[in-house]
Amino acid sequence: GAVVSQHPSWVICKSGTSVKIECRSLDFQATTMFWYRQFPKQSLMLMATSNEGSKATYEQGVEKDKFLINHASLTLSTLTVTSAHPEDSSFYICSARSDRYTEAFFGQGTRLTVV
Amino acid sequence: DAKTTQPPSMDCAEGRAANLPCNHSTISGNEYVYWYRQIHSQGPQYIIHGLKNNETNEMASLIITEDRKSSTLILPHATLRDTAVYYCIVRSGGSSNTGKLIFGQGTTLQVKP
């Protein structure tokens, strides 16, 4: 299968600061990338869908001004959590797909802790 | 996309087959059944998918009933490393396929020695 890499794997930041998480497709071009959030003992919740070169589509209830998504190339999407608060602490996971595969592939996730 | 129902948890003895059921009674004709699993603190891992025929790969087998209203994921010889949450997801295919996956609560499989 294809490889999707996220960076960093974990990050601790202070309240009020912004944090950027990168998601890269290493061996394929991702026409679409997805960002999920997962709280402890819960399932993954889709936050947004991004297509290369266009604005992301956010799921209902997800603040687009707080969670900035950029998909500038076919191999890179970034999620920036702006003005982070402790309640933003979570496990953030990206996935990527291309027309070459029917399935989506996931990154290893980023554990964000806001203190 | 159709909703799926899975048991919240299951146990399996190491070396035995693990059979994980999934109900998707509202599945429509162009919707595929996908299985992913998530080992603790990692991203989900793709396992297998199918439309109506049974499928097998190096990881698992997928058995889909003739009416397509349910399916079973089979791990033929479960190991301790197969302990994970298993998600059954129904997703449309073809030109309407956005690739978006909506996760339910899944089944927590505990493989015991």
Side-chain angles (χ1 to χ4, degrees):
Chain A
V3 179
V4 176
S5 177
Q6 269 183 255
H7 178 81
S9 296
W10 60 270
V11 57
I12 300 172
C13 72
K14 292 185 177 180
S15 288
T17 61
S18 295
V19 173
K20 181 184 284 187
I21 302 170
E22 292 187 349
C23 178
R24 293 181 185 272
S25 56
L26 297 187
D27 51 1
F28 69 103
Q29 293 186 324
T31 50
T32 310
M33 287 187 169
F34 305 89
W35 288 96
Y36 294 81
R37 180 166 55 178
Q38 186 176 33
F39 292 109
K41 298 190 186 302
Q42 294 186 23
S43 188
L44 285 79
M45 185 182 74
L46 180 66
M47 298 175 69
T49 302
S50 75
N51 293 295
E52 184 264 339
S54 61
K55 289 185 178 179
T57 302
Y58 291 81
E59 295 298 305
Q60 193 171 11
V62 178
E63 299 175 58
K64 61 180 182 181
D65 294 329
K66 180 167 183 62
F67 299 100
L68 302 179
I69 292 171
N70 183 280
H71 190 165
S73 77
L74 284 172
T75 59
L76 173 65
S77 176
T78 60
L79 168 68
T80 301
V81 182
T82 62
S83 186
H85 290 109
E87 56 264 33
D88 297 324
S89 298
S90 188
F91 192 51
Y92 291 86
I93 308 166
C94 72
S95 75
R97 71 173 297 271
S98 74
D99 294 336
R100 188 170 143 197
Y101 302 102
T102 56
E103 64 271 33
F105 298 94
F106 287 80
Q108 73 272 35
T110 297
R111 175 80 54 195
L112 170 64
T113 302
V114 184
V115 298
Chain B
D1 294 332
K3 185 180 174 180
T4 62
T5 305
Q6 298 177 251
S9 64
M10 291 182 66
D11 289 344
C12 176
E14 188 178 19
R16 304 296 293 269
N19 297 284
L20 292 94
C22 179
N23 284 322
H24 31 79
S25 57
T26 60
I27 194 170
S28 61
N30 71 337
E31 289 183 316
Y32 288 73
V33 180
Y34 282 78
W35 284 85
Y36 283 79
R37 72 179 182 184
Q38 185 180 26
I39 294 170
H40 183 63
S41 294
Q42 296 182 24
Q45 176 190 23
Y46 166 78
I47 301 173
I48 199 167
H49 75 280
L51 182 61
K52 52 184 177 182
N53 298 322
N54 297 338
E55 302 287 344
T56 296
N57 63 20
E58 64 279 4
M59 289 183 69
S61 294
L62 174 60
I63 309 298
I64 302 174
T65 57
E66 195 168 337
D67 63 7
R68 303 208 322 123
K69 294 187 176 184
S70 66
S71 61
T72 302
L73 178 74
I74 301 173
L75 307 179
H77 305 286
T79 70
L80 298 178
R81 288 179 297 180
D82 292 322
T83 292
V85 180
Y86 287 76
Y87 296 100
C88 169
I89 302 168
V90 169
R91 196 190 84 190
S92 60
S95 59
S96 63
N97 176 18
T98 64
K100 187 162 71 170
L101 296 172
I102 304 300
F103 286 78
Q105 296 306 306
T107 295
T108 299
L109 175 68
Q110 182 74 47
V111 180
K112 298 186 173 180

